[in-house]
Structures are given as C-alpha cells and as structure tokens.
Amino acid sequence: MSARQKPRRLPPFSGVLVLVMASTGLVVVDLTIVAIGLPLISADIADGASAESVVVTYMVAMGALTQIVGSLSDRWGRRSLFLAGIGVFTLSSLAATAAPDLLWLNIARVAQGAGAAAIMANGIPLLADRYAGEERDLAIGAWGSFATAAGLLAPVFGGVLAETFGWRAVFAVNLPLGAAAWALAVRVLPRAPGTDGAGACGAGAARQAGASGAGAARRTEASGGAAARRTDWLGGLLLMLGLGAATLLMLRPGETPWSARDTAVLVTACAASAAFLAVQLRAPVPTLELRMFARPAFSGAMLAVLLSRVLTIGGSVYLVLYFSDGLGMSPTGAGLLMTPIFLAQIVMGMVGSKLIGTRPPGLVIGAGYALKGVGFAALALLITPGTPWWALVVPLLAWGAGGGIAGAPVMAVAVRVTAPERVGMVAGTVSTLASLGAGVGTAALGAVFALRGGPGAEAVTDGARAVLGVSAALAAVAVLVAVTLIGPRRVPGRAPAPAAQGPAPAERRPVPGTEDPVSPAEEDDEDDSFRART
C-alpha cells in the first residue's frame, strides 16, 4: 500500500478546511451568543422591553434562506456566494454594533442571517469539492464536530464578552474575524472555471462522479447554461414564507395564551409549505429536489440531522438552566461545565468519520445516538439540587462522544448518496433542518420543562430531569432511524482517494454489498419519471 493510501486519522490540512470551519463557527456561535446579552440590550436600547426579536430575526432569515442559497450555489458557483455571505455577515455585524435602537438592530440581524445562510449552504460543497474518499469523510466530520462544539461553547464566550465589554462586543468580535475570513477566502477558493460551479464540482466531486462519465457530461452540456436561467424564484419565496412563519411560531413564548395572530401564522406556514411542495413537483429546476427523499439513506440522514439538533440545542438550554438555577452556578461556571460535551464532540467526530470507512454507516450512527442516549439517561437519574458538579462530567462526556460519533457520518452519508451537482442543495437542506431542529427542540422540550418545572431549585431540577428523560427517548428513536434507513446496501462505498497510478474511473469496481452512486443522467431520468407519476 502506498503512503497516500494509508488510513488517515485527520483530514489533510488545507486553507479551504480552515476557512469553512472558522466561518461556520462564526455563524453557529451567533445563533446563541446574542441570547446572553439580551438583558443588556433590553436595558440599553429597548427601554426595558423584550429584546427576543434580536434572536428570532436572525434565525428566521437564516432558516428561510439557506435552502435557496444552497440550490443557487450548485448553479451560480461556490466562490462568489461564499464571499458574498462573508461580506454581508461582516458588514451587518458592524451595523449591529452601532445600532442606536431596536429596529436598527433587528434589520441588521436580518441581513446577518442572510449572510449566514450563504456561508452555511456552501460549507459542505466546498469540502466535497476539495476532498474525496476517506479524506472527504474526515473533513466533513471535522466541520460538523467543530460546528456543534462551537454552538455549545457560545454561552461561555458570550457571557465573558457581555459581562466585560457590554453587549455591543458580542457583535464587534465578528469584525476582525470576518475580515480575516474574507482575506483567506479570496486567497484559497478556486477561481478557475470548473472548480467554482456545479458544472464540474471540483476535484473531489469529479472523482466521485467518475462512473457517470459521458451521461453527466451530456447533461451538463445540455442544461448547465439553462439551469442558471431557470432559477425557481417562486419556490424560493414560498419556502421563505413557510419557514419564516414556522420559525416565528416555534419561538413564541410558551407561557403566553394562544391568540388569533398565532392561528394566522400557523395557517400561513402550512399553506406556504404545501404550495412550495406543489411547485417543486413541477419546477424544471427545483429549489429542493423531492426525489432525493425517495432514497431511504438520504431520508434517514435528514431525520438524524433534525433529531440531533433537537437534542443538542433543546437539551443544552434546559441543562444550563439547571446548572444556574438548580445548582446556583454563575453563567460562566455553567458554561464551563458544558465543556466536556464540546471537547468529546470534536475528538469523537473524527472517530465517527473514520469508522464509516470500515463499518456500516447506519450502525456507526446508531451507536453514537445510543451512547448519547445513555448520557441523557444518566444525567436524568443523577441530577438533584445537591449533586456535585464532578459527578456529571462522565455523563456529559458520553453525551458529547455520542454526538460526535453520530453527527459527523450523517453529513458524509448525505453527500455520498447524492449526485455531485446537487451537493449545494443537500447542504442547504442540512442547514435548514438543523435550524428547524433548534427551534423545535427549544419549543417542544420547553413545553416538557413547563409541565414539570417552575421557580425554585427543586422545581427547576424536576423540569430538567423530565427534559433529559424525553431526550433519552428521542435518542432511542434516532437509533432506530439510523439502523433501519441507513443500511449498508443503501449507502455506496466511498470513492478511493486518487493514486499516482491507477485505473481509469470507469474501471473502478463497487465495494461488495453496496450500491453505486446514482449518476446525474440516471437521476435526471428518475426525476422526470417521479414528476410524471405525481
């Protein structure tokens, strides 16, 4: 075996990997870091009124636009949209830092969410273009683990910034980081035709699509130019409306009674979502190709993404509340106690990405969720108002390790079972479902907490215990989803990394017991047949 073919433990270092991880970290941190400064924002520029809209506007804008931007990146190119995303995110952070009132700040947050959508939608495609085979799985694993860990670390980081420098520092910290990311992106992202677009999805995607050969070439030649001219604007607008309304509904305060306005928002969300699905069945170049969900492995991966964010974001919110109100810890101390989760997440994410090269992906993902569920169950049994903090470290490590093992392979599976020119669409779907999962998790587990929790250390502990118990049950559901839908015969073996000398792509033989990836030409025929039947 040549040195290049030896198994790796980490993805090869590259400027693209550093860029994608750092930019994604900025976006994910901004999902939760601003919540720490809400009381200060309210007192400074909102005359004491609620400032929750600052969090809601960002989540709505990002959740509603990510799928659209992901689909556009497949046709317009990764580089231009990624650079635009970093630029918009950084400039809107400057506007938020200087906001004189709440309206100004909310408008800046909408723009910031739009920039974040462009960054998130292009992360996985850029890695898929840069890497292939085992290297690609490891790179996507590093990206996913780092993103989740950054979200868990954000409350600590935000608490230190807000307490030391004030709430404007929460936005100002994005300025030097955003400028550095822009400079790095200009330097490392490819400019050459065929590496900045979906027509030839970079070296990694080209190697993955080698078996599709002339079929892919004919399809690219026939539809490459027309695709850019047939952007699904109607579907995009309907998706923005449906996801925006749904996100607003999920983030409504749980203690407020249901109102006529809430009913109108619910009807809008349902009607817009139904209209979006109808448009996608007929659109020549849809924003979301529904045919992808006909593959069990893809549907299983998407369900796993949704459940992962429900558990991670929803569970951590009420666990931190237990640390502060149940154990009486400071915000900084409560955040530090969460560090075992993100440390284990980063380390075991690499392990999970490595395991799917030699083990069935469904079993690896299922094992990760099983370990995560054990962590939830142990915490539910251990927590009391008098539990010492050190007794919680091992269950927290199990939570993080399980999330790392399960989360990283999910992204790799989604890329493997999708035609190369739709990786941007897949990335948009992943990010959209992750945003929805965060909202669903916070709202649904918040309802569970409200049924059992209340003021006082004992009541807060009871509520957190109920949330953790439900989270353990949802982790068991995720195990069943993984082992049932992401079976070994439903996920193609990854394409081997290129060697100095080797057979032509057409001579590559499939790994026994797996299916070949669907070629773009074959997938297009299946899409036409699917629309005809519906």
Side-chain angles (χ1 to χ4, degrees), residues 296-381:
F298 183 84
S299 294
M302 295 303 101
L303 284 173
V305 167
L306 182 68
L307 288 172
S308 174
R309 196 52 65 96
V310 167
L311 296 174
T312 300
I313 301 299
S316 63
V317 165
Y318 300 102
L319 185 61
V320 169
L321 186 61
Y322 160 73
F323 290 159
S324 59
D325 294 354
L327 297 182
M329 302 179 71
S330 67
T332 302
L336 288 174
L337 191 51
M338 297 291 285
T339 54
I341 300 178
F342 79 80
L343 289 175
Q345 182 99 22
I346 292 177
V347 173
M348 298 309 292
M350 295 293 94
V351 174
S353 298
K354 188 72 176 175
L355 286 175
I356 61 171
T358 57
R359 300 288 186 274
L363 293 182
V364 174
I365 296 169
Y369 278 113
L371 182 57
K372 195 170 186 175
V374 168
F376 285 128
L379 287 169
L381 294 173

Side-chain angles (χ1 to χ4, degrees), residues 50 52 251-258 446-447 450:
S50 174
E52 290 181 355
L251 294 178
R252 62 182 293 275
E255 65 274 8
T256 59
W258 190 267

